[in-house]
Amino acid sequence: MIKMTFLVVGGFLILGILADVQSTFAATCTITTYNEDLIKDAEKNCATITLNGISVPAGVTLDLNLNEGTKLIFQGTITWEFFQWNGPLVNLTGTNVEISGAPDHLLDVRGNLWWDGKGEGGAIIKPVSFVVHRLKNSIIRDINIKNPSYHAIWIEESHGVIAQDVYVDSIDGDTLGGKNTDGFNVWTSNNVTIQRIRVYNQDDCVAIKSGTNIVVKDSYCSGGHGLSIGSVGGRDYNIVENVSVSNIEIVDSDNGVRIKTNYGTTGSVTNVTYENVTLKDINKYGIRVHGDYGSHDGIATGGVPVKEFNLKNITGTVKETGVNIHIFVKNASDWHWTDVNVTGGKVIKECDGIPEDSGISCY
Ligand SMILES: *[C@@H]1O[C@H](CO)[C@@H](O)[C@H](O)[C@H]1NC(C)=O
Ligand SMILES: *[C@@H]1O[C@H](CO)[C@@H](O)[C@H](O)[C@H]1NC(C)=O
Ligand SMILES: *[C@@H]1O[C@H](CO)[C@@H](O)[C@H](O)[C@H]1NC(C)=O
Ligand SMILES: *[C@@H]1O[C@H](CO)[C@@H](O)[C@H](O)[C@H]1NC(C)=O
Ligand SMILES: *[C@@H]1O[C@H](CO)[C@@H](O)[C@H](O)[C@H]1NC(C)=O
Ligand SMILES: *[C@@H]1O[C@H](CO)[C@@H](O)[C@H](O)[C@H]1NC(C)=O
Ligand SMILES: *[C@@H]1O[C@H](CO)[C@@H](O)[C@H](O)[C@H]1NC(C)=O
Ligand SMILES: *[C@@H]1O[C@H](CO)[C@@H](O)[C@H](O)[C@H]1NC(C)=O
């Protein structure tokens, strides 16, 4: 059953009825029980769609191809029945749309049902939670995702997307076997801004796998593997260009600032700047750039050159058992670092491939 409210221009509420969605009027529609036909109807006919407290059946994607200008609102607690598959649990596409959560909402993935401490390598297949695909000039805001089974959010093949005030809470994963619970992954997208996110997880806070003109700012990452570019290489599209990461606090994470490129692949990472990043209690590497990702014999390759890598005002602490700065790349050039002061790490690891004349050293 869908509750519809018809409005006329001028704002007078003329009618509020309970009915199936058949109207061609711009309407506000609320769906409280999962039903594919109702969702398809709402997709066609409703200017605002509210999904309130629905439980999505096992192995089903909450799939909405939104009309231009649609507002999609999550309300109450949304859950998915357990099923072993790759997902995604949500897959949204559209132009000029607004995807948001009402103040009380929660996308409760209940990832603990899948968690086995092994992540993507485990015998249990775990779905990606929330995918936006070919989203154009749109905003995603005020979304709360709890306990993702695997990666929380993918932004793929999208252009002109702002994601803001998103909270990924996988704190339970620390004790219940959460792994590979990435906050955001960006793939093959242009002009994406991610801001004011808070991510508590067990893998990358943000992983920019490919894409151009990406901004990540004013955010907080805890417990994971750091704010990463990559891993880059070996996919259909392998370019990362014009990335700005600023005003970020990264705490209790395995890495802070990180670029990882895949061994034996091609692509490029060009013009990446991290500015005003504070690190606290990093476990393994404060700053890490490595071209040996996926190599079993620890060899870095240069098919994905890291060019114009700028760091400004990167400060903070690594635990004694960690390394402050580790660089292990081939073919890197044109790096500019200023006001980098990462301290506390006591372990020294052999470095290789630091661009000549950059004045950078590992320690
Ligand atoms: C999301 O849906 C689109 C079709 O709209 C499809 O092409 C894409 O593969 C889906 N994404 C995932 C991760 O399944
Ligand atoms: C980037 O995306 C934002 C948000 O949709 C939009 O306002 C802006 O015009 C886009 N910029 C360019 C250069 O396309
Ligand atoms: C590098 O990217 C930034 C945006 O992050 C942009 O302002 C700047 O012009 C780019 N630099 C070059 C040389 O393209
Ligand atoms: C990177 O930014 C520069 C400067 O704004 C721009 O000229 C260039 O086209 C951008 N690169 C891409 C791939 O958009
Ligand atoms: C360095 O970044 C921190 C935030 O991480 C900020 O508080 C501080 O003002 C910045 N310092 C400079 C000199 O930009
Ligand atoms: C970094 O922090 C300084 C000092 O607060 C500020 O002036 C500058 O704009 C910040 N940089 C960015 C990219 O936000
Ligand atoms: C270095 O990168 C360039 C592309 O910028 C590529 O042509 C070359 O093969 C790379 N060299 C190595 C040793 O990988
Ligand atoms: C670097 O940071 C440490 C504390 O983490 C501080 O004691 C030291 O003075 C700083 N060095 C510089 C050059 O700012």
Side-chain angles (χ1 to χ4, degrees), residues 216-294:
V216 182
K217 63 180 184 184
D218 305 332
S219 295
Y220 182 84
C221 304
S222 174
H225 292 180
L227 211 156
S228 310
I229 307 294
S231 63
V232 184
R235 302 190 180 85
D236 291 345
Y237 182 70
N238 304 294
I239 290 172
V240 173
E241 188 170 329
N242 297 354
V243 175
S244 164
V245 177
S246 63
N247 304 330
I248 312 282
E249 199 177 343
I250 304 172
V251 307
D252 296 326
S253 296
D254 277 3
N255 310 280
V257 171
R258 186 183 193 188
I259 299 180
K260 42 183 170 173
T261 65
N262 289 322
Y263 169 84
T265 63
T266 57
S268 62
V269 175
T270 311
N271 188 24
V272 171
T273 301
Y274 283 70
E275 183 171 354
N276 299 350
V277 175
T278 310
L279 310 177
K280 191 167 167 250
D281 294 333
I282 299 299
N283 295 312
K284 294 183 179 166
Y285 301 94
I287 298 170
R288 185 179 196 197
V289 186
H290 58 131
D292 63 342
Y293 202 71

Side-chain angles (χ1 to χ4, degrees), residues 185-197:
N185 275 209
V186 178
W187 320 72
T188 322
S189 294
N190 178 46
N191 185 19
V192 173
T193 296
I194 296 172
Q195 57 189 353
R196 302 194 303 263
I197 62 163

Side-chain angles (χ1 to χ4, degrees), residues 323-346:
V323 180
N324 294 317
I325 298 178
H326 183 237
I327 310 296
F328 195 65
V329 290
K330 290 259 182 337
N331 221 4
S333 60
D334 206 9
W335 291 10
H336 307 277
W337 293 16
T338 53
D339 301 317
V340 172
N341 184 16
V342 178
T343 60
K346 295 282 185 283

Side-chain angles (χ1 to χ4, degrees), residues 61 63-65 86-88 90-93 128 131-134 154 156-157:
T61 299
D63 207 328
L64 284 99
N65 184 347
N86 292 317
V90 177
N91 190 1
L92 307 175
T93 187
V128 176
V131 174
V132 297
H133 181 88
R134 298 200 181 166
W154 284 2
E156 54 176 34
E157 295 180 35

Side-chain angles (χ1 to χ4, degrees), residues 43-59:
E43 220 176 45
K44 281 198 202 77
N45 300 313
C46 305
T48 300
I49 303 170
T50 300
L51 301 176
N52 187 352
I54 62 172
S55 166
V56 182

Side-chain angles (χ1 to χ4, degrees), residues 2 20 103 179 184 250 292 317:
I2 293 198
D20 286 330
K179 204 181 166 191
F184 280 80
I250 304 172
D292 63 342
T317 59

Side-chain angles (χ1 to χ4, degrees), residues 14-90:
I14 53 166
L15 189 57
I17 57 163
L18 290 170
D20 286 330
V21 179
Q22 268 153 14
S23 171
T24 52
F25 294 113
T28 295
C29 309
T30 300
I31 295 176
T32 55
T33 307
Y34 183 86
N35 176 312
E36 199 184 324
D37 294 337
L38 287 187
I39 288 177
K40 292 292 153 215
D41 281 348
E43 220 176 45
K44 281 198 202 77
N45 300 313
C46 305
T48 300
I49 303 170
T50 300
L51 301 176
N52 187 352
I54 62 172
S55 166
V56 182
V60 169
T61 299
L62 188 55
D63 207 328
L64 284 99
N65 184 347
L66 301 164
N67 276 334
E68 181 148 10
T70 302
K71 287 186 176 20
L72 175 69
I73 303 169
F74 293 98
Q75 203 170 43
T77 301
I78 313 283
T79 56
W80 289 262
E81 295 304 315
F82 176 82
F83 192 68
Q84 290 198 48
W85 65 317
N86 292 317
L89 302 179
V90 177

